[in-house]
Amino acid sequence: MTPVPTDRFSTRKNIVALGLDDNMVYGFLVLAHRLARTPRDEVFLVVGYFPGKLSAKNVDLIGRYLSWLAVEHDIVEYSPHVLFTERRHLTMTTFLKFVISDELGQAHLWLDIDTVVTSGWDGIFRAIREAPDSAGLVVAEKILGPDTRFEGFNAGVLGWTGKTREDWLPALASLPEKRFSSEQYLFNTLYSGKTASVGSEFNFLSSWHRVFDPENMPQIIHYSGPLKPWHLHRSHASRWTKINPTWSVWFQAEREMMTDIRGQGFASTVAMYCRRALFSGRLHTGKGSAASWVLRVLAILGPLGAPLTWLLVTRAKT
């Protein structure tokens, strides 16, 4: 399949592309608020979704919300390929990073919804604009250590240059259907030797929380994996930051959004989505599933789950 770029998004603003489905709407609202309130230069948001994955009600909510934020945007329905599959917490929505980039030929930034940005995040656009001609992607360096369990680069934050996209469909077709993280494998395969790097502060994984320094704040924090801050009942938020301090950044972004939307017509809807998001995580019984079940139990117990969080904090300190 040959990518066919279009001029649909004719803008001089910094373009940020995101893929969305009904399960991630609340996380999107928090992220979009930060994207709108913190950039040094104006941004243009491209929000993509697949048919049946984002309801008409949510498309309308996203449109009203972004208009209220005064962010220029386009919400676009794309057609999925039959090879796009879902496995555990990974949904077909993640493949939108391929589909959108094929249509969007100009330089732009892709962000997974499970990220939060801080002041200075849009500094990555300078690296994208100044990338060498050989680079199709700008990616963040990783922090080596026991908490980094992947080869190559993490594909949750991708700086797309204006270079012609690699043809990903034949590579996807050749993969085993049940490969756990096929999109990340594809990026590392297709763009091996064709990337430029920025520091890990532009894709700081929450699993690196042991080296997190709030005095040297990362510009983009990525809550990769099945556990998301919005799955945690907020009565446990302060204690949980003793387990993983990077979550405090997302909770602060959420508080800022909630304060900002007071009195808006959609405020009650957002509050409802916050409650629903507690139960939006996919549960499974495979390797590494215990933490997801713990968050679900805490969501059910609410404040009554305090003894469990104290136990987890104690264990984290040992």
Side-chain angles (χ1 to χ4, degrees):
M1 184 180 72
T2 303
V4 183
T6 75
D7 59 357
R8 180 205 296 268
F9 314 108
S10 54
T11 178
R12 289 183 173 274
K13 298 177 181 179
N14 289 332
I15 301 175
V16 180
L18 309 109
L20 188 57
D21 56 37
D22 288 325
N23 207 41
M24 300 290 278
V25 168
Y26 187 68
F28 169 86
L29 297 174
V30 175
L31 174 60
H33 186 267
R34 269 291 177 92
L35 289 172
R37 295 297 190 242
T38 56
R40 290 169 292 192
D41 298 312
E42 289 186 300
V43 297
F44 184 104
L45 298 189
V46 177
V47 183
Y49 67 96
F50 288 135
K53 297 298 182 180
L54 188 66
S55 69
K57 176 182 176 182
N58 282 332
V59 171
D60 177 70
L61 172 64
I62 297 304
R64 289 188 291 123
Y65 183 76
L66 294 178
S67 296
W68 168 73
L69 286 172
V71 174
E72 190 177 358
H73 62 276
D74 201 350
I75 305 172
V76 187
E77 180 181 275
Y78 291 94
S79 298
H81 194 277
V82 294
L83 293 176
F84 295 166
T85 58
E86 303 192 351
R87 183 165 168 79
R88 293 188 182 177
H89 69 282
L90 299 173
T91 70
M92 70 165 58
T93 300
T94 194
F95 288 97
L96 278 163
K97 62 185 68 175
F98 289 105
V99 178
I100 294 176
S101 69
D102 281 353
E103 181 186 55
L104 187 54
Q106 61 262 58
H108 66 279
L109 175 67
W110 166 275
L111 289 178
D112 280 2
I113 298 297
D114 57 352
T115 57
V116 68
V117 301
T118 66
S119 179
W121 67 269
D122 53 344
I124 195 172
F125 281 101
R126 179 176 180 179
I128 295 171
R129 289 190 293 267
E130 296 179 355
D133 293 339
S134 60
L137 286 175
V138 174
V139 298
E141 298 171 343
K142 62 185 178 183
I143 298 177
L144 298 177
D147 296 315
T148 302
R149 303 184 181 92
F150 59 90
E151 298 295 328
F153 57 86
N154 177 275
V157 178
L158 298 170
W160 290 93
T161 69
K163 184 179 171 65
T164 302
R165 315 305 187 209
E166 299 295 326
D167 191 356
W168 49 268
L169 186 55
L172 177 60
S174 68
L175 292 180
E177 181 180 354
K178 292 188 177 181
R179 176 177 287 278
F180 180 64
S181 187
S182 55
E183 48 89 23
Q184 181 149 309
Y185 175 85
L186 283 176
F187 277 112
N188 277 275
T189 301
L190 294 172
Y191 288 91
S192 177
K194 302 172 186 176
T195 63
S197 297
V198 290
S200 60
E201 66 271 17
F202 286 104
N203 188 4
F204 189 94
L205 305 187
S206 60
S207 59
W208 297 334
H209 59 86
R210 292 176 181 81
V211 296
F212 173 71
D213 179 8
E215 299 300 320
N216 188 23
M217 185 66 70
Q219 277 68 61
I220 303 174
I221 298 176
H222 182 192
Y223 303 95
S224 60
L227 305 183
K228 312 301 180 188
W230 54 84
H231 296 157
L232 180 69
H233 196 282
R234 300 309 185 273
S235 62
H236 309 298
S238 61
R239 286 186 292 273
W240 199 268
T241 59
K242 295 180 174 63
I243 299 171
N244 189 329
T246 67
W247 285 39
S248 65
V249 184
W250 192 90
F251 293 137
Q252 176 60 33
E254 180 188 44
R255 286 191 295 270
E256 292 170 2
M257 178 196 72
M258 287 298 195
T259 299
D260 211 10
I261 67 173
R262 287 176 184 168
Q264 298 300 320
F266 48 73
S268 60
T269 301
V270 175
M272 177 184 67
Y273 279 25
C274 175
R275 294 189 294 272
R276 288 181 179 178
L278 291 171
F279 302 94
S280 63
R282 290 187 172 188
L283 298 176
H284 62 90
T285 57
K287 181 180 179 182
S289 63
S292 296
W293 285 96
V294 168
L295 289 190
R296 180 60 56 86
V297 169
L298 291 174
I300 295 170
L301 292 177
L304 296 178
L308 177 55
T309 56
W310 281 119
L311 175 62
L312 294 171
V313 169
T314 301
R315 290 185 59 184
K317 291 180 178 179
T318 60

